[in-house]
């Protein structure tokens, strides 16, 4: 499940990821800024992505800026350090993201089950388990997910014992 405190945590075993992209431009035309002061303005893009199939569930954008002594690296660090999980953007991002994830699974149930079955048949059990774990328990087809998840787990355990 997507939780606000762990949204940016890198979890390579999970399927859902929050990807970030930061674009910055100088806020002051060259030659007009005081010496040794850097002013940057830009946007931080947050996107919830399924790392296995590339599905994008939700995106949010936050305007960012900094004017600090030093170079562009100092200004970039200042911007990043000011990001906070208590920012209202996070709450909105997570709430809207959860709803869009549920909508995605509701509208794509058949293709999701087919993708999981393809992973299972290809003996990609670890990926199949991760893929199935990302499906919300509220999904209408969760009983199918649970059955397939059990099969994948058993096959994964057998595979690991053989190695």
């Amino acid at each position: 499940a997507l939780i606000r405190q762990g949204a940016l945590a890198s979890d390579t075993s999970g399927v859902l990821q929050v990807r970030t992209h930061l674009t910055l431009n100088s806020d002051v035309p060259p030659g007009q800024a005081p010496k040794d002061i850097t002013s940057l303005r830009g946007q931080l893009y947050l996107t919830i992505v399924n790392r296995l199939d590339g599905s994008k569930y939700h995106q949010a954008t936050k305007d960012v800026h900094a004017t600090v002594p030093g170079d562009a690296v100092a200004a970039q660090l200042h911007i990043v350090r000011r990001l906070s999980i208590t920012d209202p953007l996070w709450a909105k991002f997570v709430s809207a993201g959860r709803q869009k994830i549920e909508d995605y699974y509701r509208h794509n149930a058949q293709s999701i089950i087919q993708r999981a079955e393809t992973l299972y048949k290809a003996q990609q059990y670890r990926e199949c388990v991760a893929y199935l774990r990302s499906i919300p328990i509220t999904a209408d087809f969760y009983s199918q997910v649970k059955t397939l998840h059990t099969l994948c787990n058993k096959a994964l355990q057998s595979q690991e014992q053989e190695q």
Side-chain angles (χ1 to χ4, degrees), residues 121-138:
K121 289 174 185 171
Q123 298 181 354
Q124 296 176 330
Y125 305 125
R126 188 173 311 284
E127 291 84 356
C128 185
V129 168
Y131 189 67
L132 293 169
R133 278 191 5 216
S134 72
I135 300 170
I137 196 167
T138 57

